Amino acid sequence: MNTSLLTLDDVLHAQTRLAGGVRVTPCAPSARLSDLAGMEIIAKHDYLQATGSFKERGARNALASLTPAQRARGVIAASAGNHALGLAFHGRELGVPVTVVMPRNAPRVKATRCHTLGARVVLHGDTYDEASVHAHALAVEQGLAYVHPFDDLSVIAGQGTLALEALLAEPDVDAFVVPVGGGGLLAGVATVVKALRPEVQVIGVEPAHAAGLVAARQAGRPVRTATLPSLADGLAVAQTGAHTFAHAHAFVDDVVTVSEDDLALALLAAHEAHGVTLEGAGATALAACLSGRLSSLAGKRVLVALTGANIDPANHARALRRARVLRAEQIAA
């Protein structure tokens, strides 16, 4: 597989482009989560971005990297939510017209918010893949630049700025645990960590219902996998990208999966420890730390990326009810 790898300089250039455009979010130890996990959890609270997700970083860097002609014509992307929100928000800020293509079953609140932010919203297909095919067709037809939600080097470099901030705030850590969907955040974080602190472990976490990177690592290349409905719906990607896989192959130490029960319990832990309403995807890295699947990190200092807070309140409430039942069963066992 012949794909280019980013360097630390690429991410540093992205950080310069993002200065003043995205928030530098808090990175701090959590005593309550640490007690639950049996390791020192240092949480990077990137769900505090303006649109509630880390995705803004990659979206803004991609927009800021366009040529003047591309900026004038505009961009298009397929996204079920957070990537679309990031593009819509920063497209408005930077004066770049944005079209987002969403599956018809995308959360209505996200489609409405994208429209409110000034993006043109096109609902097409029943899956992300169908929306993506339509978005590519529109890109060619209308001369729009396509901004991939994860398999784009400008997007990956932007996501990597999360790690620059985290390591500046907390340089003395043993591991960095990151959620994985398509792998853009993991690729960016791993690029930075292995350049600055090569001894620090980089661990990706996928929902077991969408374990595309695990399958790719087993096959030695990106492969298409079946996905099932997941509380971490933002990570439900059937196939990791060529660029993201190349970075994972070069820089990532391990990838683990978490169950739907693990995800629900992580949402409850974040809610009780910090009053935070995370989405399933945003709590996936925390779920791995709390589940016992990272027992090798016991007693160590671990950076954990908390990445998104865009969840329907009713879905969050159901997840918390489920988690409380699970916890009661665990205590009674």
Side-chain angles (χ1 to χ4, degrees):
M1 184 180 300
N2 184 19
T3 57
S4 300
L5 294 178
L6 294 171
T7 67
L8 179 62
D9 280 346
D10 293 315
V11 184
L12 290 170
H13 289 317
Q15 188 177 50
T16 299
R17 293 188 196 98
L18 300 187
V22 299
R23 296 172 180 172
V24 177
T25 54
C27 186
S30 171
R32 293 189 65 180
L33 294 177
S34 297
D35 288 342
L36 291 171
M39 61 187 75
E40 187 175 351
I41 298 290
I42 303 161
K44 176 62 170 166
H45 297 267
D46 221 49
Y47 58 88
L48 292 174
Q49 294 296 341
T51 62
S53 166
F54 79 97
K55 287 280 192 176
E56 286 186 33
R57 297 175 180 273
R60 188 175 180 100
N61 191 53
L63 292 173
S65 302
L66 296 171
T67 66
Q70 289 173 322
R71 289 169 69 106
R73 286 193 297 269
V75 301
I76 190 169
S79 169
N82 288 336
H83 179 60
L85 285 171
L87 282 175
F89 181 84
H90 290 285
R92 184 182 68 176
E93 295 287 304
L94 297 172
V96 180
V98 171
T99 299
V100 293
V101 183
M102 294 181 167
R104 283 187 289 263
N105 62 355
R108 189 63 56 183
V109 64
K110 293 183 179 180
T112 300
R113 190 169 180 202
C114 284
H115 176 75
T116 301
L117 289 169
R120 179 168 68 112
V121 178
V122 178
L123 299 177
H124 182 90
D126 296 320
T127 65
Y128 166 78
D129 287 340
E130 291 176 1
S132 178
V133 169
H134 189 61
H136 278 287
L138 290 178
V140 173
E141 178 185 313
Q142 299 176 13
L144 305 175
Y146 189 87
V147 183
H148 198 282
F150 54 85
D151 206 34
D152 178 297
L153 292 176
S154 293
V155 169
I156 294 170
Q159 316 302 29
T161 62
L162 181 151
L164 288 176
E165 292 177 12
L167 288 180
L168 179 63
E170 295 285 346
D172 184 22
V173 294
D174 300 299
F176 205 137
V177 185
V178 183
V180 182
L185 177 61
L186 180 66
V189 166
T191 298
V192 171
V193 172
K194 294 305 180 181
L196 294 177
R197 294 288 308 280
E199 73 281 9
V200 173
Q201 292 185 64
V202 179
I203 300 172
V205 186
E206 294 182 300
H209 282 190
L213 184 53
V214 168
R217 283 163 65 90
Q218 292 171 347
R221 59 182 176 82
V223 292
R224 189 164 190 79
T225 57
T227 62
L228 296 171
S230 175
L231 189 55
D233 59 316
L235 304 182
V237 175
Q239 182 170 322
T240 191
H243 290 302
T244 54
F245 177 74
H247 286 77
H249 180 72
F251 301 130
V252 173
D253 296 290
D254 197 10
V255 181
V256 301
T257 63
V258 292
S259 70
E260 295 301 299
D261 287 351
D262 296 332
L263 291 167
L265 287 164
L267 292 185
L268 179 61
H271 185 71
E272 291 184 341
H274 296 291
V276 174
T277 301
L278 293 178
E279 60 188 274
T284 301
L286 177 61
C289 296
L290 298 176
S291 68
R293 285 169 172 74
L294 299 178
S295 57
S296 63
L297 299 182
K300 296 186 177 181
R301 303 189 80 234
V302 182
L303 277 166
V304 178
L306 305 180
T307 53
N310 293 318
I311 186 171
D312 179 82
N315 290 340
H316 187 256
R318 280 193 293 271
L320 296 193
R321 286 195 296 271
R322 175 182 179 183
R324 291 187 177 103
V325 171
L326 290 167
R327 186 171 62 184
E329 291 173 347
Q330 292 173 351
I331 293 171

